[in-house]
Amino acid sequence: MKHTAARTRRTVLPAAGRPHTASHGPGRRGARLWRRANGTFLRLSYQLQERLEEAARHPDRGDISITTVIIWLAAVAGAVTIAGTIAVVIGKYNGKLTGL
């Protein structure tokens, strides 16, 4: 979704607790933090909405089939088994291989 001038909807988070009083004026720092939090919330909500719309346009994007997962798991298990076997054989015959 593109940012357009027609989009004027804003989400405002309610301020909790009593107002902050500081040397700069009452509530100035808290108001600035709330403005920043609201801007961040709006930006994240727009990004989330854009990603959901993109996912709706391409529903099959990013899916991994069960077959692919099984093949990868078998390949990793096979590699670990082979590496373990090699380590055991080298450990067992290490003293006998040095004289070659």
Side-chain angles (χ1 to χ4, degrees):
M1 178 188 296
K2 301 286 182 189
H3 297 280
T4 62
R7 180 181 298 172
T8 57
R9 182 182 67 196
R10 295 230 178 235
T11 304
V12 178
L13 299 174
R18 55 189 181 156
H20 175 72
T21 54
S23 61
H24 299 292
R28 187 177 208 180
R29 185 175 180 190
R32 193 173 8 178
L33 290 174
W34 279 110
R35 251 193 330 270
R36 213 166 164 193
N38 283 332
T40 302
F41 178 78
L42 285 173
R43 200 168 37 255
L44 290 175
S45 64
Y46 289 150
Q47 288 177 358
L48 177 63
Q49 188 172 3
E50 289 174 359
R51 298 251 163 59
L52 290 174
E53 288 174 359
E54 179 70 22
R57 283 195 295 270
H58 305 290
D60 60 342
R61 191 179 128 215
D63 289 343
I64 299 176
S65 68
I66 298 297
T67 307
T68 305
V69 172
I70 291 171
I71 290 171
W72 274 103
L73 288 176
V76 169
V80 168
T81 303
I82 291 170
T85 304
I86 292 172
V88 167
V89 169
I90 288 177
K92 184 175 180 181
Y93 296 108
N94 194 19
K96 297 178 183 175
L97 294 175
T98 56
L100 292 179

